[in-house]
Amino acid sequence: MLELAILGFLYDAPLHGYELRKRITALAGHVRPVAESTLYPAIKRLEKAELLARTTEPGAVAAPRHVLTLTEEGRHELRRRLTEPPQRNITDENRWFTVLAFLRHLDDPTAQAAVLQRRLAFLEEPASFFYDGDRPLHAEELDDPFRRGILTIARATTRAELTWLRATLDSLDS
Protein backbone atom coordinates (compact mmCIF):
# COMPACT_ATOMS: atom_id res chain seq x y z
CA MET A 1 0.00 0.00 0.00
CA LEU A 2 2.92 2.31 0.67
CA GLU A 3 4.11 2.03 -2.92
CA LEU A 4 0.58 2.64 -4.20
CA ALA A 5 0.32 5.78 -2.05
CA ILE A 6 3.72 7.02 -3.24
CA LEU A 7 2.77 6.51 -6.88
CA GLY A 8 -0.66 8.06 -6.32
CA PHE A 9 0.56 11.23 -4.64
CA LEU A 10 3.36 11.69 -7.17
CA TYR A 11 0.83 11.25 -9.99
CA ASP A 12 -0.72 14.48 -8.74
CA ALA A 13 2.50 16.50 -8.43
CA PRO A 14 6.24 16.21 -7.80
CA LEU A 15 7.00 16.20 -4.06
CA HIS A 16 9.99 16.03 -1.77
CA GLY A 17 10.21 13.14 0.69
CA TYR A 18 9.07 15.06 3.76
CA GLU A 19 5.91 16.35 2.05
CA LEU A 20 5.21 12.90 0.61
CA ARG A 21 5.52 11.35 4.07
CA LYS A 22 3.10 13.93 5.53
CA ARG A 23 0.49 13.18 2.85
CA ILE A 24 0.78 9.42 3.22
CA THR A 25 0.52 9.72 7.01
CA ALA A 26 -2.60 11.89 6.65
CA LEU A 27 -4.18 9.28 4.37
CA ALA A 28 -3.22 6.26 6.50
CA GLY A 29 -3.90 8.03 9.79
CA HIS A 30 -2.90 6.65 13.13
CA VAL A 31 -3.53 3.09 11.97
CA ARG A 32 -0.38 2.84 9.86
CA PRO A 33 2.14 5.55 10.65
CA VAL A 34 4.86 5.89 8.03
CA ALA A 35 8.40 5.76 9.36
CA GLU A 36 11.32 7.15 7.39
CA SER A 37 12.91 3.71 7.66
CA THR A 38 9.97 2.36 5.66
CA LEU A 39 9.34 5.24 3.26
CA TYR A 40 12.83 5.83 1.90
CA PRO A 41 13.59 2.18 1.03
CA ALA A 42 10.24 2.08 -0.83
CA ILE A 43 11.20 5.24 -2.72
CA LYS A 44 14.55 3.67 -3.62
CA ARG A 45 12.83 0.51 -4.90
CA LEU A 46 10.50 2.56 -7.09
CA GLU A 47 13.39 4.68 -8.30
CA LYS A 48 15.44 1.57 -9.15
CA ALA A 49 12.44 0.21 -11.08
CA GLU A 50 12.39 3.55 -12.98
CA LEU A 51 8.89 4.34 -11.77
CA LEU A 52 10.01 7.64 -10.28
CA ALA A 53 12.89 10.05 -10.77
CA ARG A 54 14.74 12.23 -8.29
CA THR A 55 16.04 15.73 -8.91
CA THR A 56 17.85 18.04 -6.52
CA GLU A 57 16.69 21.60 -5.85
CA PRO A 58 18.49 24.12 -3.70
CA GLY A 59 16.99 24.47 -0.24
CA ALA A 60 15.62 27.85 0.84
CA VAL A 61 17.50 27.86 4.15
CA ALA A 62 18.79 24.32 4.54
CA ALA A 63 20.41 21.62 2.51
CA PRO A 64 19.28 20.85 -1.04
CA ARG A 65 15.98 19.01 -1.32
CA HIS A 66 15.35 15.89 -3.37
CA VAL A 67 12.18 16.22 -5.41
CA LEU A 68 10.48 13.05 -6.59
CA THR A 69 8.63 12.90 -9.91
CA LEU A 70 6.62 10.07 -11.38
CA THR A 71 7.92 8.75 -14.70
CA GLU A 72 5.65 7.69 -17.54
CA GLU A 73 6.33 4.08 -16.50
CA GLY A 74 5.28 5.04 -12.95
CA ARG A 75 2.03 6.54 -14.23
CA HIS A 76 1.33 3.33 -16.15
CA GLU A 77 2.18 1.20 -13.08
CA LEU A 78 -0.19 3.19 -10.85
CA ARG A 79 -3.03 2.72 -13.33
CA ARG A 80 -2.23 -1.02 -13.55
CA ARG A 81 -2.29 -1.40 -9.77
CA LEU A 82 -5.59 0.48 -9.58
CA THR A 83 -7.16 -1.58 -12.35
CA GLU A 84 -6.13 -4.91 -10.79
CA PRO A 85 -5.94 -4.43 -7.00
CA PRO A 86 -5.33 -7.64 -5.04
CA GLN A 87 -8.34 -8.89 -3.09
CA ARG A 88 -6.84 -7.76 0.25
CA ASN A 89 -6.91 -4.18 -1.09
CA ILE A 90 -10.65 -4.61 -1.66
CA THR A 91 -11.48 -6.25 1.67
CA ASP A 92 -9.22 -4.36 4.11
CA GLU A 93 -10.77 -0.97 4.87
CA ASN A 94 -7.49 0.94 5.21
CA ARG A 95 -6.08 -0.56 2.02
CA TRP A 96 -9.40 0.13 0.28
CA PHE A 97 -9.23 3.81 1.24
CA THR A 98 -5.80 4.02 -0.39
CA VAL A 99 -7.15 2.49 -3.61
CA LEU A 100 -10.16 4.79 -3.46
CA ALA A 101 -7.98 7.88 -2.90
CA PHE A 102 -6.36 7.42 -6.32
CA LEU A 103 -9.06 5.64 -8.34
CA ARG A 104 -9.76 8.89 -10.19
CA HIS A 105 -6.45 8.36 -12.01
CA LEU A 106 -8.10 5.61 -14.03
CA ASP A 107 -9.47 7.46 -17.04
CA ASP A 108 -11.92 4.70 -17.94
CA PRO A 109 -15.21 4.79 -16.00
CA THR A 110 -15.72 1.10 -16.83
CA ALA A 111 -12.42 0.22 -15.13
CA GLN A 112 -13.36 2.38 -12.14
CA ALA A 113 -16.75 0.68 -11.94
CA ALA A 114 -15.16 -2.78 -12.06
CA VAL A 115 -13.11 -1.98 -8.95
CA LEU A 116 -16.14 -0.54 -7.16
CA GLN A 117 -18.18 -3.63 -8.12
CA ARG A 118 -15.61 -5.84 -6.39
CA ARG A 119 -15.95 -3.81 -3.18
CA LEU A 120 -19.74 -3.90 -3.48
CA ALA A 121 -19.72 -7.69 -3.85
CA PHE A 122 -17.49 -7.99 -0.78
CA LEU A 123 -19.73 -5.78 1.36
CA GLU A 124 -22.89 -7.61 0.29
CA GLU A 125 -21.57 -10.94 1.61
CA PRO A 126 -22.89 -11.82 5.09
CA ALA A 127 -20.08 -11.24 7.57
CA SER A 128 -19.38 -10.38 11.17
CA PHE A 129 -16.50 -9.99 13.55
CA PHE A 130 -18.10 -12.64 15.75
CA TYR A 131 -19.59 -16.02 14.88
CA ASP A 132 -21.63 -18.83 16.35
CA GLY A 133 -19.98 -21.71 14.50
CA ASP A 134 -20.19 -20.62 10.85
CA ARG A 135 -23.12 -18.25 11.41
CA PRO A 136 -22.29 -14.54 11.60
CA LEU A 137 -23.69 -12.93 14.74
CA HIS A 138 -25.70 -9.71 14.65
CA ALA A 139 -25.36 -6.90 17.19
CA GLU A 140 -28.77 -7.68 18.67
CA GLU A 141 -27.63 -11.20 19.56
CA LEU A 142 -24.76 -10.08 21.79
CA ASP A 143 -24.93 -9.32 25.51
CA ASP A 144 -21.49 -7.69 25.52
CA PRO A 145 -22.12 -3.95 24.96
CA PHE A 146 -18.63 -3.43 23.52
CA ARG A 147 -18.90 -6.15 20.92
CA ARG A 148 -22.44 -4.98 20.19
CA GLY A 149 -20.94 -1.52 19.68
CA ILE A 150 -18.40 -2.82 17.18
CA LEU A 151 -21.13 -4.48 15.14
CA THR A 152 -23.46 -1.47 15.36
CA ILE A 153 -20.75 0.89 14.14
CA ALA A 154 -19.66 -1.52 11.41
CA ARG A 155 -23.26 -1.90 10.21
CA ALA A 156 -23.72 1.87 9.99
CA THR A 157 -20.50 2.47 8.08
CA THR A 158 -21.21 -0.46 5.75
CA ARG A 159 -24.70 0.89 4.99
CA ALA A 160 -23.25 4.32 4.26
CA GLU A 161 -20.60 2.84 1.99
CA LEU A 162 -23.13 0.67 0.17
CA THR A 163 -25.30 3.73 -0.48
CA TRP A 164 -22.29 5.64 -1.82
CA LEU A 165 -21.07 2.71 -3.93
CA ARG A 166 -24.45 2.17 -5.58
CA ALA A 167 -24.89 5.87 -6.33
CA THR A 168 -21.37 6.17 -7.72
CA LEU A 169 -21.77 3.05 -9.86
CA ASP A 170 -25.05 4.50 -11.23
CA SER A 171 -23.29 7.76 -12.10
CA LEU A 172 -20.41 5.91 -13.80
CA ASP A 173 -22.92 3.95 -15.89
CA SER A 174 -24.57 7.20 -17.06
Side-chain angles (χ1 to χ4, degrees), residues 105-118:
H105 295 310
L106 287 182
D107 297 329
D108 179 12
T110 304
Q112 292 171 332
V115 175
L116 296 182
Q117 284 287 359
R118 288 179 59 197

Side-chain angles (χ1 to χ4, degrees), residues 9 15-29 34 36 39-40:
F9 281 119
L15 297 168
H16 56 86
Y18 176 74
E19 183 61 32
L20 181 60
R21 183 173 172 225
K22 279 183 14 184
R23 291 181 187 199
I24 293 170
T25 298
L27 178 62
V34 180
E36 288 182 23
L39 176 63
Y40 290 104

Side-chain angles (χ1 to χ4, degrees), residues 93-165:
E93 185 174 85
N94 292 305
R95 289 175 173 270
W96 170 245
F97 283 166
T98 302
V99 170
L100 201 54
F102 304 111
L103 199 57
R104 66 190 175 95
H105 295 310
L106 287 182
D107 297 329
D108 179 12
T110 304
Q112 292 171 332
V115 175
L116 296 182
Q117 284 287 359
R118 288 179 59 197
R119 178 69 176 183
L120 179 65
F122 165 70
L123 291 177
E124 288 178 333
E125 286 293 316
S128 179
F129 295 107
F130 311 106
Y131 289 82
D132 179 11
D134 288 340
R135 187 178 65 80
L137 293 173
H138 299 282
E140 300 76 20
E141 298 176 90
L142 297 172
D143 294 330
D144 181 334
F146 307 106
R147 286 187 171 193
R148 191 170 50 246
I150 290 171
L151 293 179
T152 301
I153 293 165
R155 180 188 303 152
T157 57
T158 298
R159 284 181 180 160
E161 186 175 355
L162 285 168
T163 299
W164 176 84
L165 279 167

Side-chain angles (χ1 to χ4, degrees), residues 20-128:
L20 181 60
R21 183 173 172 225
K22 279 183 14 184
R23 291 181 187 199
I24 293 170
T25 298
L27 178 62
H30 66 280
V31 178
R32 291 188 169 94
V34 180
E36 288 182 23
S37 61
T38 306
L39 176 63
Y40 290 104
I43 288 171
K44 288 195 180 293
R45 281 192 307 274
L46 293 171
E47 192 174 16
K48 185 177 181 180
E50 299 182 354
L51 301 178
L52 58 89
R54 180 189 313 246
T55 57
T56 304
E57 293 182 354
V61 281
R65 298 184 330 168
H66 299 283
V67 177
L68 304 166
T69 306
L70 205 58
T71 64
E72 193 53 44
E73 293 85 6
R75 297 172 91 71
H76 176 74
E77 179 63 15
L78 173 67
R79 289 188 296 267
R80 186 195 67 75
R81 290 181 187 202
L82 291 171
T83 302
E84 305 166 2
Q87 188 62 12
R88 70 181 180 276
N89 292 1
I90 299 294
T91 59
D92 178 273
E93 185 174 85
N94 292 305
R95 289 175 173 270
W96 170 245
F97 283 166
T98 302
V99 170
L100 201 54
F102 304 111
L103 199 57
R104 66 190 175 95
H105 295 310
L106 287 182
D107 297 329
D108 179 12
T110 304
Q112 292 171 332
V115 175
L116 296 182
Q117 284 287 359
R118 288 179 59 197
R119 178 69 176 183
L120 179 65
F122 165 70
L123 291 177
E124 288 178 333
E125 286 293 316
S128 179

